Amino acid sequence: MNQDNHAFAHDDNQAKLLRMAREIADFFQAYPHDQAVDSIAGHINKFWTPKMREDFLAAAAEPGLSLPPLVRAAREKIKRRATG
């Protein structure tokens, strides 16, 4: 895979993760706000690999990206890879 294809695949993966996070938020939107935020972050922390979480957090940090408020709030509770 050349570098251009690799960058495209990476961007496509991040777009997929952002879409998945939005779909999770859609599922929990009927819950009270705090419970929805905890449930979104809990789902992502439990079922996504550390690499998926890191890729999502990197994509979610892009300037100008519009995220649903529940996803934006849950982002702070998503586990990062251990460093060291």
Side-chain angles (χ1 to χ4, degrees):
M1 176 183 293
N2 70 33
Q3 191 170 5
D4 290 337
N5 286 342
H6 177 72
F8 177 76
H10 184 70
D11 291 345
D12 190 46
N13 183 55
Q14 286 184 335
K16 182 178 177 182
L17 293 170
L18 289 168
R19 179 180 47 79
M20 290 168 56
R22 288 181 177 104
E23 290 172 354
I24 294 166
D26 286 346
F27 178 83
F28 288 112
Q29 73 182 1
Y31 288 55
H33 182 269
D34 291 345
Q35 186 180 359
V37 169
D38 289 344
S39 296
I40 294 162
H43 179 90
I44 290 171
N45 288 331
K46 183 174 182 180
F47 295 108
W48 289 18
T49 66
K51 180 169 180 1
M52 290 171 71
R53 294 193 306 263
E54 287 297 325
D55 287 350
F56 164 74
L57 291 170
E62 287 294 318
L65 180 68
S66 176
L67 288 175
L70 289 174
V71 174
R72 202 170 32 253
R75 188 175 56 179
E76 304 302 318
K77 297 183 176 209
I78 294 172
K79 295 178 187 172
R80 295 186 90 60
R81 284 187 190 183
T83 57

